Amino acid sequence: MKAQPIIGLKEAIEERRAARSFRPDSIPEEVLSEILRLGVRAPSGYNLQPWRFIVVKEQENKEKLKACAFNQRQVSEAPVVLICCGDRLVYQPKYIESVIQLGIEAQAMNQAFADYMREQIPVLFEYHPCFESVEAWTNRHTMLAVAHIMIAAKSFGIDSCPMEGFVTSQVKEAFNIPENLDICCLLPLGYAAEPYKLYGGRFSLEQICYSESYGESYKL
């Protein structure tokens, strides 16, 4: 039986905070598995799913990761830390075929679109007209999954803390991460310790949204 969320989507989005400290309580395995399963339902270009997650639970490994992350305490306190990576090699023919096969098995792929993927994906990665580097593309799509994971986690009462403060080369060496994977962020998961972080506010939609063209006033 799958674990069930304890709060709704709207509440999970509004209550999510970046936890600065965690209690030592462990996350039930069935809850963690469901959080990850829901997280990777995130969208990605051509359904290439470039995200890769190293699930770190052992205290010795968390301490090793903490040393690569400027000794930030969240890394060693949280019961689980995800090293969130994006794979730059998802454009290769063998991988594309595996995605096509997924679509066929799900009855969501026809021959015409399969041929389109085989033709267009290598072109996208060769010329990348909508991103400056392949790493930008992997980070873009991996963070979609990370955001899904954070919201899914909060729906189960699990807090998170997306972190950029780490030395990439040290993390790669310590955790045997291959060159073709870009580390997007670290994501401690667990139960936040008091004092809880307060809501920091968000700019109004009128300040960040524009109507039809950049700079044109947007009114609700």
Side-chain angles (χ1 to χ4, degrees):
M1 183 177 179
K2 290 179 181 177
Q4 295 298 317
I6 60 174
I7 62 175
L9 175 61
K10 182 176 182 293
E11 188 178 5
I13 291 172
E14 291 184 337
E15 291 188 3
R16 184 210 59 78
R17 301 286 183 276
R20 299 309 185 195
S21 184
F22 291 89
R23 306 200 308 265
D25 313 52
S26 62
I27 300 174
E29 193 61 40
E30 63 273 15
V31 172
L32 178 60
S33 294
E34 185 66 358
I35 289 169
L36 294 172
R37 187 190 73 83
L38 292 171
V40 299
R41 291 294 294 267
S44 61
Y46 293 102
N47 198 31
L48 288 174
Q49 306 168 56
W51 42 74
R52 306 288 182 264
F53 300 100
I54 301 171
V55 182
V56 182
K57 297 181 182 179
E58 296 293 333
Q59 192 62 37
E60 179 181 354
N61 289 328
K62 287 189 291 182
E63 295 293 344
K64 183 167 61 172
L65 183 57
K66 179 182 178 182
C68 304
F70 305 104
N71 291 313
Q72 295 180 82
R73 67 182 187 181
Q74 302 98 306
V75 178
S76 60
E77 288 182 353
V80 176
V81 183
L82 304 181
I83 304 175
C84 309
C85 306
D87 190 345
R88 279 182 265 117
L89 298 184
V90 294
Y91 68 89
Q92 294 189 335
K94 185 177 180 180
Y95 188 87
I96 294 171
E97 291 303 321
S98 70
V99 175
I100 290 171
Q101 186 58 38
L102 274 180
I104 291 172
E105 292 171 1
Q107 299 183 333
M109 178 71 63
N110 58 38
Q111 190 59 50
F113 192 68
D115 290 341
Y116 179 79
M117 289 176 62
R118 294 181 181 111
E119 177 184 347
Q120 291 300 316
I121 291 172
V123 174
L124 174 69
F125 278 80
E126 181 177 1
Y127 297 105
H128 41 84
C130 56
F131 48 92
E132 292 186 1
S133 68
V134 177
E135 182 178 1
W137 186 91
T138 63
N139 283 349
R140 178 186 298 175
H141 291 278
T142 299
M143 283 307 295
L144 287 173
V146 170
H148 273 59
I149 288 171
M150 288 191 290
I151 298 303
K154 191 60 186 178
S155 75
F156 288 94
I158 307 296
D159 297 293
S160 59
C161 182
M163 297 172 59
E164 292 184 289
F166 56 88
V167 181
T168 298
S169 59
Q170 293 178 3
V171 178
K172 283 195 166 188
E173 181 178 0
F175 291 89
N176 302 310
I177 299 173
E179 188 278 333
N180 58 285
L181 263 62
D182 300 309
I183 304 174
C184 185
C185 71
L186 306 181
L187 187 66
L189 295 169
Y191 302 93
E194 295 184 19
Y196 300 121
K197 186 179 181 181
L198 298 177
Y199 174 61
R202 293 294 186 273
F203 293 116
S204 70
L205 295 181
E206 287 84 356
Q207 288 178 272
I208 61 169
C209 297
Y210 302 96
S211 179
E212 308 301 333
S213 179
Y214 189 87
E216 297 297 324
S217 179
Y218 176 79
K219 298 294 185 183
L220 289 174

